[in-house]
Amino acid sequence: MPIRFTRLVLLLALLTAIAPVVAAPGARIIATGGAISVEGAAGGGIVPWSLLAGYGENQQFGGTAWYTQVQPSDFRLQAYGAAASLHNRVELSLGKQRFDIDQVIPGEVLEQTIIGAKLRLAGELIYSDMPQLSIGLQYKSNTRFEIPEAVGARDENGLDFYIAASKLWLDGPFNRSFFLNATARATKANQMGLLGFGGDRNNARKLVAEISTGLFLTRNWVIGAEYRQKPDNLGFAGEDDWYDVFIGWFPSKRLSIIAAWSDLGSIAGLEDQKGAYLSLQFSQ
Amino acid sequence: MTPAICRQWALSSLIYLAAVMVGCTTAPDARPTLYEQLGGNAGVEQLMSDFIREIAADERIKGRYRDSDIGRFHRMMQLQMCELTNGGCRYTGDDMRRTHGGMNISRVEFNAIVEALMRAMDKNAISQGVQNRVLSLYAPMHKDIVGI
């Protein structure tokens, strides 16, 4: 584990320790803030959901600070950031990704910064018959564009739009609470944007589907799976859809830990990228 | 299927159908009601006592009950739970919309009540499955309680 990771664990532990002296977490039911996905928006691991970060309800502020590491066979993704929500209505997020491609080009990394905004339009995850509906956008800025450009990417910046619907059925299969989220996204991003935006094969926004499900074994433990469709814009190497299966632990509203196994397919010409995903999240 | 087996199958189906129609297969349902799984009368009474204690300990909501007749509130919550969980009672209190009309209950307060019920159920060692069934009966009341 790199030093940065250890430091972050210590920071989270410290935040958890001092939490009781700052404001109590928001009023929403435990785990209803989901996690923060690798792009910085509240969601699962790889899919933004219609949920808003943290536990804030009306008249409350909510938020989550997070660190995530993914270790596919030949690469390493480190991502971190923070998201804040106001009145369970609006979410603003900032995320940073660093993707180690040492196996392809020794010493090189890809990087991007993602600024996100999300607006809850209608519905309430648990209490309304209709699903909770949100729209969002993610402005992504690739800060190491030389390599993406060299392999055919057209833009160093990109804008994703999405609409997401989430619903939790309290009394689902096996009398367990069942969660479902469906997201439709318009994007030009290559490997989320780490390889830039648009390409020689296609340079228009594509509409992709993303799906997540979860089953709460208890209020504090959830297992689930995700699927994320991806564009395939670059001629130099194919890009595959992503999958993961996850387990989430929410010991309190303050802290959650998500572990997953992800299948990221082919990345930059290296096939069959599978590996562990681990995320630490500190919420308000 | 040979014709003989086919005839036998048809015959037994007919016998079964006739039996269903005259009601001779309607053995008493052995599955306990949700009310029974909550411990029946005594269980629900204890659960509601703990629920009220949890409410009274929660700064976000306890003020709402300052002028309430707690004895009546306890009885009515018990009756409502009994009716919702097929305990064979009839809830005689006002409906949720009337009870909460004009109070402008916030989403924060509603969630606080849900959490109070969760803690009370935890305290009474009610299984997660039964808790989920109970909560799913109360969740739809959100629209008749919040913001009216």
Side-chain angles (χ1 to χ4, degrees), chain B residues 46-117:
Chain B
Q46 183 60 47
L47 177 61
M48 288 299 122
S49 294
D50 290 328
F51 177 47
I52 290 168
R53 262 185 222 112
E54 290 293 338
I55 290 172
D58 193 327
E59 294 296 335
R60 298 173 294 180
I61 43 178
K62 67 180 192 186
R64 290 286 194 182
Y65 297 87
R66 195 173 293 128
D67 302 322
S68 306
D69 174 347
I70 296 299
R72 179 183 147 78
F73 178 65
H74 187 206
R75 282 195 305 281
M76 285 304 145
M77 288 305 293
Q78 233 176 288
L79 263 187
Q80 187 186 39
M81 178 71 89
C82 175
E83 183 181 81
L84 287 170
T85 56
N86 293 324
C89 309
R90 236 182 86 76
Y91 173 65
T92 54
D94 288 334
D95 68 36
M96 289 296 100
R97 187 159 272 275
R98 181 175 302 186
T99 311
H100 298 91
M103 290 176 75
N104 199 21
I105 304 280
S106 71
R107 300 199 306 245
V108 169
E109 291 173 300
F110 189 87
N111 280 308
I113 290 284
V114 172
E115 288 182 339
L117 182 56

Side-chain angles (χ1 to χ4, degrees), chain A:
Chain A
M1 292 267 160
I3 288 171
R4 182 184 288 171
F5 188 78
T6 316
R7 245 189 285 160
L8 212 112
V9 173
L10 287 172
L11 178 66
L12 284 171
L14 179 70
L15 286 170
T16 310
I18 62 163
V21 301
V22 292
R28 271 154 56 209
I29 305 301
I30 192 161
T32 58
I36 301 289
S37 61
V38 285
E39 291 167 303
I46 54 174
V47 178
W49 295 347
S50 75
L51 310 180
L52 273 57
Y55 292 102
E57 254 297 1
N58 60 316
Q59 311 300 317
Q60 292 180 329
F61 154 87
T64 301
W66 57 281
Y67 176 85
T68 299
Q69 190 159 323
V70 191
Q71 303 255 176
S73 322
D74 297 305
F75 303 97
R76 183 175 68 195
L77 174 69
Q78 292 169 294
Y80 57 93
S85 66
L86 193 64
H87 295 191
N88 197 19
R89 177 62 67 187
V90 184
E91 174 188 287
L92 295 173
S93 62
L94 184 63
K96 189 119 180 121
Q97 295 180 344
R98 186 187 148 90
F99 193 65
D100 187 337
I101 55 166
D102 198 57
Q103 296 289 324
V104 182
I105 308 172
E108 279 298 333
V109 294
L110 301 171
E111 275 182 352
Q112 67 169 338
T113 302
I114 304 169
I115 299 168
K118 193 192 290 181
L119 176 69
R120 182 171 68 88
L121 292 181
E124 209 286 340
L125 176 69
I126 300 176
Y127 303 123
S128 63
D129 293 332
M130 70 170 295
Q132 178 166 326
L133 268 184
S134 296
I135 49 170
L137 57 83
Q138 293 176 340
Y139 177 75
K140 302 172 173 181
S141 181
N142 192 303
T143 46
R144 291 285 184 97
F145 192 57
E146 299 79 5
I147 294 166
E149 191 171 30
V151 298
R154 296 292 161 85
D155 293 303
E156 58 192 295
N157 302 315
L159 193 55
D160 285 5
F161 302 97
Y162 62 89
I163 180 163
S166 306
K167 176 84 188 130
L168 182 90
W169 289 271
L170 284 166
D171 186 23
F174 317 108
N175 297 126
R176 289 298 179 272
S177 297
F178 179 69
F179 173 84
L180 189 61
N181 178 89
T183 298
R185 181 200 301 249
T187 181
K188 284 170 77 169
N190 310 320
Q191 301 293 6
M192 290 192 294
L194 286 164
L195 280 174
F197 304 87
D200 51 321
R201 196 185 281 175
N202 169 61
N203 195 31
R205 272 205 185 77
K206 281 224 163 143
L207 193 64
V208 290
E210 304 174 12
I211 292 171
S212 308
T213 67
L215 190 69
F216 282 86
L217 304 177
T218 71
R219 274 199 285 282
N220 311 100
W221 287 94
V222 58
I223 53 170
E226 295 186 291
Y227 164 74
R228 174 170 173 169
Q229 195 179 19
K230 309 227 321 305
D232 191 9
N233 301 330
L234 296 174
F236 96 102
E239 181 168 344
D240 292 327
D241 297 348
W242 284 356
Y243 303 85
D244 71 59
V245 289
F246 66 84
I247 180 162
W249 181 43
F250 295 76
S252 74
K253 285 189 186 180
R254 283 284 179 224
L255 182 70
S256 57
I257 298 172
I258 318 291
W261 182 256
S262 54
D263 180 349
L264 309 181
S266 175
I267 298 179
L270 299 186
E271 304 295 321
D272 209 19
Q273 296 298 314
K274 292 178 182 155
Y277 162 114
L278 187 66
S279 184
L280 286 174
Q281 317 233 340
F282 179 81
S283 294
Q284 166 64 33

